Amino acid sequence: MAMAALRREGRRFAAPLISSQPMTAIRSSLIAEEQTPLGLRSISTQVVRNRMKSVKNIQKITKAMKMVAASKLRAIQTGAENSRGLWQPFTALLGDVPSVDVKKNVIVTISSDKGLCGGINSTSVKISKAIHKLTAGPEKETKYVILGEKAKAQLIRDSRKDIELSITELQKNPLNYTQVSVLADDILKNVEYDALRIVFNKFHSVVSFIPTMSTVLSPEVVEKEAESGGKLGELDSYEIEGGETKGEILQNLAEFQFSCVLFNAILENACSEQGARMSAMDSSSRNAGEMLDRLTLTYNRTRQASITTELIEIISGASALEG
Amino acid sequence: MIYLSFNKIIIIIIIILCKIFYSIRRRNRQKRVENNIQHPLSPADAPPLPISESADADAAAASSTTITTMFRQASRLLARSINQQPKMMARAFSTDVPATPTVDSTFVESWKKVIPNMEPPKTPLTFMQPRPSTPSTIPSKLTVNFVLPYASELSSKEVDMVIVPATTGQMGVLPGHVPTIAELKPGVLSVHEGNDVTKYFLSSGFAFIHANSVADIIAIEAVPIDQIDQSLVQKGLAEFTQKLSTATTDLEKAEAQIGVDVHSALNSALTG
């Protein structure tokens, strides 16, 4: 009976109290007493048991998602590594000038469609917004082309009017060059650009993803930069074989470069997405395991407390009878 | 005349080539499988062979209706067949960051001025394998990088000469060649090293020859010549010539023309 009184007092005080005990412990001691048919009162472990069941399920699900992400990563990783040689010849020829000053910038942000992949999409969006700020200025305009649902959701909130094109469901079919080529063609047809900046997460290892920005210049800008000297100055020394004019070749070159760089970028981002999902699900299952341990302790405490209460009631009842 | 962008042309060429290579790969794979599996009952081998022939024809017909499945399977098969050479990159992690990363300092500075709190993103310059500088004398060997989207066929291979199928004709490249940017048409690439000649049939692409005797050849599809089936080439050529004569719109005419070009190039590759 003393226990019941204490419990009732606890209920009155616990509401405004900020105790150091975990919430589950307080809740279990505040649980409404179960009304058994014999009038016996016992603390219910039902709520704790339900929580334990759901946390265990979450742990199983996240473990399974980690395995799935690991197998998908294995599948795409070889593809991404093989495609790494694709953009190097272009950078060797045309150099890499991210600090080029042009009027029309288009930022191509690559992100995932599905969530639960850690912070890579937020990183890409942050970098895209920063590049937007960097390339802003009088008479300059910067637009977005978004690949993937997650970046669209984040960018549409404050830069809705700057979004030129958004493409989703890239990974419905396994990625191959032809699909990316069609995509690149679409983008180039619908968007006017002087410089395209592709923002993606480069896959460095299973736990590290490096945000990267590749720059593809339009043929007019390439010619201008080549004339003005600097990094592209050696371009004039190259002979052009095929095609009628140098401009035509440069046009084809720019389109080809964009589709190659985009292909590599999409593959790397897909790898990064799977790797990030793996580590996110791994930490999630670990957290679920720890939560389960804490809940088990609470459960045992509650169970023992209810047994002790029953015993006390029985014994005090028996001793009252004896006299 | 209709204007087709470069990428569009490449896509059409790949669609055409996939039809041939898909059935070739399928047949090669089945032949290899049949050779590996030792059946105790030999009559069991006889029925699979004629069925596989018709299955290939059916597969080729069925695949042409669904382009996406064809791409998937073709790309998978192509990747599998091309990845037979031992690859340089065997490590699973941190594959291509070179020892001395180079950074574009003007970009980093302008970034830090506007956005001081965030790290600037890395640029491809950081991940670039460094290229040799231009030597003063003409080197004895040509370094060739032959890349495809699915693999690096040859990376930094030292050879004596390559012959690339530029749009202006077959172009031979020796060490010390003047720096050139060449657009490629579907044709044969032959790599000469000593007495060995390796020939590949390329879809279109680009070839860059730098002053330091490094040649970069970028193509979308490449197949060793001995894997091309003559009969399929003839069939395709006949089909596309017929399509060209019955084409109505500019787009159809352009596609049929490209088909005819590709198949005649394949033909001359096999005969020449």
Side-chain angles (χ1 to χ4, degrees):
Chain A
M1 312 305 116
M3 291 286 289
L6 271 173
R7 249 181 289 134
R8 253 176 287 145
E9 293 300 299
R11 226 180 293 150
R12 228 183 292 147
F13 285 135
L17 206 75
I18 305 168
S19 103
S20 55
Q21 273 179 330
M23 269 298 287
T24 49
I26 297 179
R27 218 181 290 158
S28 60
S29 56
L30 294 176
I31 291 163
E33 298 160 8
E34 221 177 69
Q35 300 294 324
T36 63
L38 295 171
L40 278 174
R41 280 177 282 176
S42 55
I43 305 165
S44 169
T45 55
Q46 191 58 36
V47 174
V48 184
R49 244 183 301 153
N50 285 340
R51 261 198 89 112
M52 278 172 68
K53 200 161 66 155
S54 63
V55 170
K56 208 184 296 188
N57 281 338
I58 290 177
Q59 192 184 31
K60 279 195 209 151
I61 291 173
T62 51
K63 226 181 252 182
M65 284 183 76
K66 179 188 167 194
M67 293 290 121
V68 167
S71 73
K72 283 198 182 155
L73 175 67
R74 243 197 318 268
I76 321 181
Q77 195 175 352
T78 41
E81 283 178 16
N82 287 337
S83 79
R84 275 192 185 143
L86 202 54
W87 55 264
Q88 297 213 3
F90 293 105
T91 317
L93 178 74
L94 297 169
D96 185 36
V97 267
S99 50
V100 67
D101 195 22
V102 288
K103 289 223 170 47
K104 299 206 183 105
N105 281 297
V106 175
I107 304 176
V108 182
T109 313
I110 305 184
S111 67
S112 63
D113 283 332
K114 303 206 182 110
L116 294 180
C117 50
I120 52 168
N121 292 324
S122 312
T123 324
S124 289
V125 169
K126 256 197 306 192
I127 300 240
S128 305
K129 288 194 184 157
I131 296 174
H132 186 104
K133 199 162 139 197
L134 186 69
T135 56
E139 292 194 5
K140 289 202 219 169
E141 58 170 314
T142 316
K143 296 254 173 214
Y144 290 107
V145 169
I146 306 179
L147 273 66
E149 249 334 306
K150 295 287 153 189
K152 182 165 120 180
Q154 292 192 30
L155 281 172
I156 215 165
R157 262 190 284 142
D158 33 336
S159 323
R160 184 191 282 261
K161 52 181 172 46
D162 281 333
I163 299 178
E164 191 76 45
L165 202 61
S166 84
I167 297 150
T168 55
E169 293 199 359
L170 271 170
Q171 299 207 32
K172 213 152 99 165
N173 304 321
L175 291 163
N176 60 6
Y177 183 79
T178 322
Q179 176 191 20
V180 174
S181 199
V182 173
L183 193 68
D185 210 26
D186 253 345
I187 296 177
L188 290 173
K189 255 197 300 217
N190 293 329
V191 165
E192 283 182 17
Y193 69 102
D194 284 332
L196 285 156
R197 298 177 190 273
I198 305 173
V199 176
F200 62 102
N201 291 85
K202 192 170 166 73
F203 182 75
H204 186 237
S205 81
V206 185
V207 294
S208 108
F209 323 107
I210 305 177
T212 315
M213 179 184 83
S214 295
T215 319
V216 174
L217 302 170
S218 78
E220 295 92 17
V221 176
V222 169
E223 287 221 40
K224 206 168 55 138
E225 289 282 319
E227 278 162 30
S228 67
K231 302 230 175 83
L232 285 165
E234 296 166 9
L235 196 63
D236 272 335
S237 63
Y238 281 77
E239 289 255 336
I240 309 286
E241 282 279 337
E244 282 91 49
T245 62
K246 185 170 175 183
E248 207 182 288
I249 296 276
L250 282 181
Q251 168 93 355
N252 287 345
L253 189 64
E255 291 180 9
F256 193 42
Q257 181 185 10
F258 180 51
S259 72
C260 287
V261 172
L262 194 65
F263 179 65
N264 182 55
I266 291 183
L267 277 179
E268 300 264 359
N269 204 57
C271 277
S272 305
E273 177 200 336
Q274 299 299 339
R277 188 166 294 132
M278 251 181 81
S279 62
M281 292 295 107
D282 184 44
S283 58
S284 174
S285 12
R286 211 174 317 123
N287 282 345
E290 284 172 24
M291 205 175 203
L292 203 58
D293 288 338
R294 276 204 306 270
L295 280 173
T296 312
L297 288 174
T298 315
Y299 175 73
N300 285 332
R301 258 206 304 270
T302 321
R303 191 177 47 87
Q304 287 163 356
S306 80
I307 292 173
T308 313
T309 321
E310 275 197 59
L311 280 172
I312 289 179
E313 289 178 359
I314 294 170
I315 292 172
S316 49
S319 68
L321 280 173
E322 278 172 26
Chain B
M1 222 20 241
I2 191 172
Y3 170 69
L4 283 172
S5 65
F6 188 69
N7 281 343
K8 201 76 189 280
I9 296 179
I10 287 187
I11 293 165
I12 297 175
I13 294 178
I14 296 175
I15 297 176
I16 295 166
L17 285 176
C18 276
K19 287 206 191 115
I20 301 181
F21 297 156
Y22 173 64
S23 40
I24 294 172
R25 293 277 143 55
R26 196 113 184 267
R27 206 176 304 144
N28 276 350
R29 205 155 51 104
Q30 286 188 324
K31 245 187 255 166
R32 240 178 284 140
V33 167
E34 283 154 12
N35 287 338
N36 287 340
I37 301 176
Q38 300 292 329
H39 279 294
L41 338 97
S42 50
D45 288 340
L49 216 43
I51 293 173
S52 73
E53 296 294 319
S54 59
D56 279 339
D58 285 343
S63 69
S64 62
T65 54
T66 47
I67 292 184
T68 42
T69 48
M70 185 172 65
F71 288 165
R72 244 182 291 147
Q73 282 151 336
S75 63
R76 232 187 297 141
L77 290 166
L78 189 60
R80 233 182 283 154
S81 66
I82 279 191
N83 282 341
Q84 279 161 11
Q85 296 175 359
K87 285 284 161 271
M88 242 174 45
M89 318 249 185
R91 288 174 287 166
F93 307 130
S94 62
T95 46
D96 68 340
V97 181
T100 53
T102 43
V103 188
D104 191 355
S105 48
T106 40
F107 175 63
V108 175
E109 278 162 24
S110 50
W111 178 277
K112 288 242 177 330
K113 262 190 279 184
V114 184
I115 306 124
N117 299 330
M118 221 191 300
E119 275 282 322
K122 299 271 188 300
T123 50
L125 216 56
T126 331
F127 303 112
M128 204 45 206
Q129 305 280 4
R131 291 294 176 104
S133 51
T134 313
S136 44
T137 58
I138 298 178
S140 59
K141 293 268 200 184
L142 186 68
T143 322
V144 170
N145 294 324
F146 177 29
V147 284
L148 305 167
Y150 306 107
S152 298
E153 207 37 48
L154 303 168
S155 52
S156 302
K157 185 148 184 243
E158 306 261 330
V159 297
D160 295 323
M161 177 172 81
V162 289
I163 304 183
V164 292
T167 40
T168 48
Q170 301 278 80
M171 186 170 85
V173 182
L174 288 157
H177 196 282
V178 57
T180 312
I181 301 175
E183 195 180 328
L184 305 177
K185 64 172 189 227
V188 177
L189 166 82
S190 46
V191 178
H192 299 253
E193 181 176 0
N195 288 330
D196 328 300
V197 178
T198 339
K199 290 199 184 180
Y200 303 91
F201 185 81
L202 299 177
S203 72
S204 48
F206 264 89
F208 309 139
I209 303 153
H210 303 279
N212 48 10
S213 291
V214 174
D216 293 314
I217 305 169
I218 311 160
I220 311 298
E221 285 218 7
V223 175
I225 292 225
D226 40 10
Q227 292 190 7
I228 303 178
D229 187 356
Q230 175 80 8
S231 54
L232 280 172
V233 172
Q234 300 290 15
K235 211 167 47 162
L237 185 59
E239 184 188 329
F240 274 100
T241 353
Q242 194 234 351
K243 257 195 221 165
L244 183 59
S245 50
T246 60
T248 44
T249 64
D250 262 345
L251 184 63
E252 279 179 31
K253 260 192 225 140
E255 284 184 12
Q257 183 64 47
I258 295 176
V260 168
D261 288 339
V262 170
H263 283 269
S264 22
L266 273 168
N267 218 358
S268 52
L270 287 173
T271 51

